Amino acid sequence: MIDLRHPLVVLASRMPWQQIEAAVAHLFSRKARTSGQPMPDLDLFGEAPTPVARHSNAEAEKAAQAPPGD
C-alpha cells in the first residue's frame, strides 16, 4: 500500500510532469541510425505494418447468396 502522506508521494504530486515531458520529449524521439532524423513510423521491430482492408466471412457469404445483378 502506498502512503499518500509520504514525502516522495507528495513531491511527485507537485511535480509539473507535463512541462518536464515537453522539455525532454525531443531527446527520446526515434531517429534513424544513418541520418539522425526522427522516424515516427519506425517500430522496435522495423517499420510499422500497413493496415489491410478486410471483409468479414458474413459479408462474403451474403455477396455469394445475392441474386446476380445486385
Side-chain angles (χ1 to χ4, degrees), residues 35-69:
S35 66
Q37 298 297 316
M39 295 185 64
D41 295 337
L42 188 63
D43 195 3
L44 290 175
F45 301 104
E47 290 188 26
T50 305
V52 177
R54 297 181 186 209
H55 301 285
S56 70
N57 289 339
E59 290 176 9
E61 289 176 15
K62 188 186 296 183
Q65 294 174 357

Side-chain angles (χ1 to χ4, degrees), residues 17-41:
W17 292 113
Q18 290 180 341
Q19 293 172 348
I20 293 170
E21 274 190 48
V24 300
H26 70 281
L27 298 173
F28 296 97
S29 65
R30 294 189 177 145
K31 296 182 179 161
R33 291 181 187 214
T34 56
S35 66
Q37 298 297 316
M39 295 185 64
D41 295 337

Side-chain angles (χ1 to χ4, degrees), residues 6-26:
H6 189 279
L8 290 177
V9 175
V10 173
L11 177 63
S13 69
R14 294 181 182 175
M15 294 292 292
W17 292 113
Q18 290 180 341
Q19 293 172 348
I20 293 170
E21 274 190 48
V24 300
H26 70 281

